Every structure is written in C-alpha cells, then in structure tokens.
Amino acid sequence: SGEWERLAVNEETMSELRELESRCRHRERLHETIGDGLGAQMTAGVRALFTGPSGTGKTLAARLLSSTLHIDLYRLDLSLVINKYIGETEKNLNQILARAEELDVILLLDEGDSLLTQRTGVQTSNDRYANLETNYLLQRLESYEGILIVTTNAGDRIDSAFQRRMDVVVDFRPPDAAERWNIWQLHLPESRTVDYDLLDEVAERCVLSGGQIRNAVLHASLLALDDGGAVNSTHLLAAVRREYRKTGAVCPLRL
C-alpha cells in the first residue's frame, strides 16, 4: 500500500512488515486454513517484535501499520506500568491488555526491554519477583487476542522465550547511503533550493539514522523560516553539523 512508501528501509525489513500486515488482515480467519492440530493452538492475536537501534523507524512502522489497517494505535509507556509493589505490575498489565483486546486496537509497547530481557538468576527477592513478572507476561502473550507490537533497542538481550512467542520479528538496521538518500527525499520540502551534489554527499558521507535526518530537516526548516525563504544548502549544512555536535562526533563533510 502507499503508506509503506513513507518508510525507507531495506527490502528484507519491508518484506517482513508486509507479512505482518497480511497476518493482521487475516488473523480472524487464518485458523480456518490450517490443520486441526495447529488451528486448535492458535488465537486471533498477532505478536510482533521490532528490534534495532534508536531512530531506525520502529515506531514510525507501527504508525504506518495502524494507518494501513485503519486500526487505532495505542502506545504504552512501560515505566508507568511497572510497579515497585509486588503483584501490581501483573495486575496493571492484565488490565491494559484486556482493555486493548476489548477496544480492538494495536497496542505498542515501546522500548519493552524492561520486561523482555533475560530472566536473572535468583539472588534476591527482587530478582524472584522480576522473574515472576516476566513469566506472567510470557503466559499472557500466548492467550492475547489483539495485535501487539513490542519495540526494543536491545534485541540481543531479549529472553529467547519471548522471541519464540512472537509471530513476526522485524529487524530494523541503520540505513545505508541509498536509504539515507531516500529518507532525505521523503523529509525535505519540495520547495527546497539545496544543491543536488551537496545532498548527494550528505547522504553518502553522513551516517545518520532516520530519526537524526528527521531532526536535521526540522532544524533546517526552522532556519529557513527565520530567513523568510526556502530550505537551502546553508540551512542543510548547519542542521547536519548540529546533529553531529549533539552526539559529540565530527561532521565528515569537507565543505
């Protein structure tokens, strides 16, 4: 669909996202097309894990899936759910998951590392209760009837038991030069007067994430508004250098 054109990712990632879209569209009827042994184990739920560094498009992909399916997206901040009191986290999670099932929305657990990381050896009572919360979530995922997306920056630390329960795992990698060029094209206004060769060099030499490119375009646009004109090469250069300063890195542009 046209919505996915707003996301610049590699072919493998896009293929997995389209498979996820298909799985969501047919989730109510999928069990009718498979054998009884497998169909009896299935629910109408779809569980997806988005892994990859910050700024690679995980949250945007969740929004685009919501738009493509015409289903509302609810984003959950896990820090508001995890409770220091024993048993409260499970209760909070159960209420949220049950409500999401009832409303038939896409539930996005953004940065789900805190509940999905590998279970620890039990050395303190806190470890034991952390493991209980993880075990509860594992069981609840299996019976979940809605569409759930979990994003994480730490795919290598995710408990393998969670990986096995995910229907689709989508890996978001930092964009290469061609993908960065596409992201610049998607974000920059058509009215820009940026030198083509400069934009080509920025895409090639400046290894920025999609989120950083978005921030640079916003800053360049603000500079253009202050100057009363369109985004030009000077604005773009200043915005790119600002992104490098924010991370303490040196901008590789020769100009």
Side-chain angles (χ1 to χ4, degrees), residues 97-150:
L97 292 169
R99 185 65 173 150
E101 286 172 323
E102 182 185 326
L103 293 172
D104 195 25
V105 298
I106 297 174
L107 182 61
L108 173 64
L109 296 184
D110 227 351
E111 310 303 344
D113 310 38
S114 52
L115 277 179
L116 306 186
T117 44
Q118 294 174 11
R119 285 162 286 184
T120 59
V122 177
Q123 296 177 347
T124 69
S125 60
N126 285 344
D127 292 336
R128 184 163 65 252
Y129 290 116
N131 289 346
L132 285 173
E133 289 168 356
T134 302
N135 291 335
Y136 166 78
L137 187 57
L138 284 169
Q139 293 168 9
R140 188 65 179 86
L141 282 178
E142 289 189 333
S143 63
Y144 189 65
E145 296 279 345
I147 299 172
L148 175 72
I149 298 173
V150 182

Side-chain angles (χ1 to χ4, degrees), residues 75-83 88-89 92-93 96 114:
R75 181 175 175 269
L76 177 64
D77 183 347
L78 274 180
S79 66
L80 300 178
V81 177
I82 296 172
N83 197 296
E88 289 297 307
T89 297
N92 291 343
L93 275 171
I96 290 163
S114 52

Side-chain angles (χ1 to χ4, degrees), residues 221-239:
S221 299
L222 284 172
L223 294 175
L225 285 171
D226 280 342
D227 288 347
V231 174
N232 60 32
S233 298
T234 302
H235 302 140
L236 183 67
L237 272 172

Side-chain angles (χ1 to χ4, degrees), residues 12-28:
E12 185 180 334
T13 300
M14 184 56 71
S15 176
E16 290 293 337
L17 287 169
R18 290 189 181 279
E19 180 185 328
L20 173 58
E21 178 190 344
S22 177
R23 183 77 182 252
C24 292
R25 287 193 187 281
H26 302 300
R27 66 192 183 96
E28 302 283 357

Side-chain angles (χ1 to χ4, degrees), residues 181-255:
W181 194 86
N182 285 334
I183 295 170
W184 281 111
Q185 297 297 322
L186 284 168
H187 287 356
L188 282 166
E190 289 186 15
S191 60
R192 65 181 182 267
T193 59
V194 176
D195 180 74
Y196 185 88
D197 289 337
L198 169 65
L199 188 55
D200 210 34
E201 184 177 1
V202 167
E204 180 70 35
R205 294 172 58 82
C206 297
V207 183
L208 300 172
S209 70
Q212 288 174 308
I213 292 172
R214 172 186 170 274
N215 290 341
V217 170
L218 286 173
H219 185 66
S221 299
L222 284 172
L223 294 175
L225 285 171
D226 280 342
D227 288 347
V231 174
N232 60 32
S233 298
T234 302
H235 302 140
L236 183 67
L237 272 172
V240 168
R241 286 177 173 145
R242 177 174 178 265
E243 282 306 304
Y244 274 91
R245 282 199 306 274
K246 281 161 63 177
T247 61
V250 177
C251 181
L253 293 176
R254 290 186 295 270
L255 297 175

